[in-house]
Amino acid sequence: MDSQFSKAELERYSRHLIIPEFNIEGQRKLKESKVLVVGAGGLGSPLLFYLTAAGAGTIGIVDFDTIEESNLQRQVLFTVDDIGKSKAKTAAQRLKRLNPHVEFRVYDTQLTSDNALEIIRDYDVIADGTDNFPTRYLVNDACVILGKTNVYASIFRFEGQVSVFNHLMPDGSRGPNYRDLFPEPPPPGLVPSCAEGGVLGVLPGIIGSLQANEVIKIITGVGEPLAGRLFLFDAFSFETRTVKVAKDPDTKEITKLIDYIEFCGLNNSSQKTEENMVKEITVQELASLKENGSDYQLIDVREPYERKIASIEGELVPLAQIMSFADNIARDKKVIIYCRSGSRSAQAVIQLEKQNGFDNLYNLKGGILAWAKEIDPTVAKY
Amino acid sequence: MSKIIIPTPLRKFTNNQTTLETSADTVLEVIRELTIKYPDLKNQIIDKQGGIRKYIRIYLDDTDIKTLDQEKTEVSAGSVVSIIPAIAGGNIT
């Protein structure tokens, strides 16, 4: 019997051990490995399940979020009983039951420029399953600085991308990284914008599994990793493509971590100040206006498909069309504009005030989410 | 004719067309043709200086045009031009 593996482990991993190219050496490398999974969500679920089942020795899980009802459509790590609990902690508890031979390290915190190097330093391979641009650039840059392989996957609606960044190539150099492919994130306001989202539930299952496959290949040295290549999957048309990713000579050298929120244009302080200056009305105030039968105009600047999930009535005019609707907006009474969380409606108020000189517009603070939480629990939160 | 593949996030600007046909013979011409036909696409792909936006890569078959002849890259019949954008997840605000 092998001294590193117990009888239970040999039996558990036997389907790996009998693959000639993998065998006990591949399993030993897995057991000795430390993998960090950033994001325990849609991609993180299959990724963590398969890395745990396969027998990675140490798995770090970074996620600061808590589990919500809307996660369960794709985040198969979690159950109804887990709503409201920490994703990272709950994931580790669930996974421990799948494989007690794995050591889990829980980081119930947001990965930031202040802690990323310290957390990532200790791991052999990093798997990026996050859902936002600032963290993607942060993970990429930290991996480049520390010389770690970054197994990347990303999804949007029906479409997924997978690649292996900053991988140690046979000639000793590092392969292309995320910035070689996308030097900068989309500026705010361009697609996919804050109003556009959605993910087919099964898509992260497919893409996250491919990501787990790359992590396992890299650790064991089995097969050809997806370094210098980008895999694209379109579930809508069932088209798959693999394209080449080259080092971009124009990419600046990454030497230190920066402010990634600012880099992604999400901390535009003048826009924030402007949004804060917008006149607001609370959901309680709107509720009493409704109750008193007061005369006001209510405008919903969300998309039609959002209206079908949750509505508090009013005219539906998506933000992109609000300016051409200006002539239909009253000037002689209160006009209340709302969206999901209050951000798009603030933009609508700013645009209308600036270009059409309105002074009777009010942003519904917290949007329909606040209404659902504080006024009408029958309205769905999404 | 060659094919242009429109990525999911940009399909709302192309009447939800996932692929388009073109007879243009350079990448520049393909983009010009595309943005004339679908004007709202222009701001998504082209920056204020007239270059391709940095969150988008244009590929001819499996190769980034940046490693070929940039926008002047020739497009031959039967080839595929792909627009590949950075994506990060499906959250909304």
Side-chain angles (χ1 to χ4, degrees), chain A residues 241-293:
Chain A
R241 284 174 291 156
T242 307
V243 299
K244 291 183 260 185
V245 179
K247 283 229 170 213
D248 187 337
D250 297 342
T251 302
K252 287 187 210 122
E253 199 189 345
I254 300 161
T255 53
K256 62 179 174 48
L257 300 181
I258 56 171
D259 181 339
Y260 291 90
I261 304 286
E262 194 187 325
F263 174 63
C264 295
L266 301 172
N267 194 20
N268 187 331
S269 52
S270 61
Q271 186 186 324
K272 278 266 155 64
T273 316
E274 223 174 21
E275 276 189 25
N276 290 339
M277 307 259 289
V278 164
K279 283 182 287 189
E280 286 181 328
I281 181 169
T282 64
V283 288
Q284 286 80 9
E285 286 166 328
L286 175 61
S288 48
L289 286 179
K290 266 179 183 270
E291 210 175 289
N292 301 337

Side-chain angles (χ1 to χ4, degrees), chain A residues 99-110:
Chain A
N99 191 344
H101 307 293
V102 177
E103 184 194 329
F104 293 96
R105 295 184 188 166
V106 171
Y107 304 90
D108 187 6
T109 181
Q110 189 159 18

Side-chain angles (χ1 to χ4, degrees), chain A residues 49 52 76-79 82 88-99 104:
Chain A
F49 268 134
T52 302
V76 293
L77 261 172
F78 310 120
T79 67
D82 299 327
K89 284 182 194 159
T90 309
Q93 284 162 7
R94 169 74 184 84
L95 295 163
K96 198 80 200 165
R97 299 214 306 276
L98 172 60
N99 191 344
F104 293 96

